[in-house]
């Protein structure tokens, strides 16, 4: 009789790594991520949208996988994330979860609550979050500050870990007037800081800071002891980094943001590019502050 691994290798659709023996790595958890943050160990996050890439990223040592609603742009060809449906997020979250499960992966799985799935009421947010958690997410992410604080508190009190997202919030790109840097100038920086502290106080365990000045992101990272900041276009002073998978692999339909590094440029394959990304995040050589000194 053939082993499960041999059966996997024989499949004509065999893009997933074969089922592996129990991993020696421990699954990521909120306490472990908080401990990394407290010790100053950088957290490496990438977006993932399907089973195979999720499994490869996990094996490469990526600690957090984000099923981002950026999938609307990179997978569905939309012009923004505004058109992404909750059902689409559920489908991709389940796919990523299955990929991780298949290889006994250890990554922490975060899924985006898409536009209009949490704005109406805290109850709507809970129903939407439940869909993603039941699809395999460990944590949900939602965009914005101010009014979102009470939604975050409501979800956290009900046992749903939450990642907040400030700075450039793509779901409100039309209100922001485009994909532009946020938190510039004293007033905007003070508001962003106040919102970040309120989100931490409401129980957000992570906070994505997108396209904000590096100095502001570093300052917030030092101040928020119970909420790990994850930067994208926010300099190297954050507790961790995230990139859109397609961007870091150098494939895209449009212009790359200038804070992106193409890790495929010097790698023989995708797994090695992901390993290089993890190394660069951990040793602080990515990102390069000078490339986005907003
Ligand atoms: O949707 C997404 O991929 C994101 C990241 C860019 C942070 O929110």
């Amino acid at each position: 009789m053939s082993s499960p691994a041999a059966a996997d290798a024989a499949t004509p659709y065999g893009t997933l790594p074969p089922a592996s023996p129990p991993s020696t790595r421990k699954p990521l958890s909120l306490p472990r991520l908080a401990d990394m943050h407290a010790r100053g160990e950088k957290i490496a996050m990438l977006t993932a949208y399907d089973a195979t890439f999720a499994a490869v990223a996990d094996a490469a040592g990526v600690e957090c996988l984000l099923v981002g609603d950026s999938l609307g742009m990179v997978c569905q060809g939309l012009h923004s994330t505004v058109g992404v449906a909750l059902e689409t997020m559920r489908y991709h979250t389940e796919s990523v979860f299955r990929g991780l499960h298949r290889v006994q992966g250890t990554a922490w799985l975060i899924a985006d609550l898409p536009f209009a799935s949490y704005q109406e009421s805290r109850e709507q947010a809970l129903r939407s979050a439940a869909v993603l958690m039941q699809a395999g997410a460990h944590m949900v992410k939602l965009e914005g500050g101010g009014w979102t604080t009470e939604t975050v508190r409501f979800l956290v009190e009900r046992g749903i870990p939450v990642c907040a997202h400030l700075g450039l919030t793509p779901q409100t790109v039309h209100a922001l007037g485009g994909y532009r840097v946020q938190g510039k100038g004293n007033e905007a920086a003070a508001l962003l800081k106040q919102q970040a502290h309120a989100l931490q106080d409401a129980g957000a365990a992570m906070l994505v800071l997108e396209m904000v000045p590096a100095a502001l992101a570093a300052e917030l990272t030092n101040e928020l002891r119970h909420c790990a900041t994850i930067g994208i276009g926010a300099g190297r002073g954050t507790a961790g980094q995230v990139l859109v998978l397609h961007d870091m692999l150098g494939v895209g339909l449009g212009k790359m943001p200038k804070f992106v590094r193409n890790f495929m440029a010097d790698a023989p394959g995708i797994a090695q590019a992901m390993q290089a990304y993890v190394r660069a995040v951990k040793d602080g050589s990515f990102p390069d502050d000078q490339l986005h000194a907003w």
Side-chain angles (χ1 to χ4, degrees), residues 48-176:
Y49 313 111
D50 69 25
T52 305
F53 278 97
V56 174
D58 182 82
V62 178
E63 284 127 353
C64 298
L65 294 180
L66 169 65
V67 185
D69 59 357
S70 51
L71 65 83
M73 295 165 90
V74 297
C75 302
Q76 295 181 287
L78 300 173
H79 284 291
S80 77
T81 58
V82 174
V84 177
L86 180 62
E87 170 52 23
T88 308
M89 293 306 301
R90 188 203 60 74
Y91 171 88
H92 286 274
T93 301
E94 213 169 65
S95 303
V96 168
F97 172 74
R98 280 197 292 257
L100 284 178
H101 195 67
R102 173 101 170 256
V103 296
Q104 295 167 346
T106 59
W108 178 251
L109 178 50
I110 306 160
D112 262 339
L113 284 168
F115 179 70
S117 74
Y118 59 96
Q119 284 87 343
E120 201 176 298
S121 64
R122 299 177 309 178
E123 289 75 13
Q124 185 209 22
L126 177 61
R127 281 194 298 277
S128 302
V131 169
L132 300 180
M133 299 295 284
Q134 286 168 351
H138 301 127
M139 175 180 243
V140 296
K141 176 162 84 61
L142 54 81
E143 295 185 5
W147 69 270
T148 57
T149 305
E150 287 316 309
T151 303
V152 169
R153 195 186 315 280
F154 190 76
L155 296 180
V156 171
E157 281 174 351
R158 282 153 185 78
I160 299 177
V162 177
C163 175
H165 184 155
L166 291 176
L168 171 65
T169 44
Q171 291 174 12
T172 45
V173 61
H174 302 304
L176 295 176

Side-chain angles (χ1 to χ4, degrees), residues 44-46 53 56-62 243-251 261-282 285-286:
M45 184 189 297
L46 278 181
F53 278 97
V56 174
D58 182 82
V62 178
L243 278 180
V244 168
L245 173 68
H246 295 54
D247 289 352
M248 61 80 73
L249 295 178
V251 288
R261 186 183 298 171
N262 176 359
F263 284 88
M264 271 304 278
D266 298 313
I270 287 170
Q272 292 86 347
M274 289 178 176
Q275 285 163 6
Y277 169 72
V278 173
R279 269 198 308 276
V281 170
K282 298 272 175 202
S285 57
F286 176 80

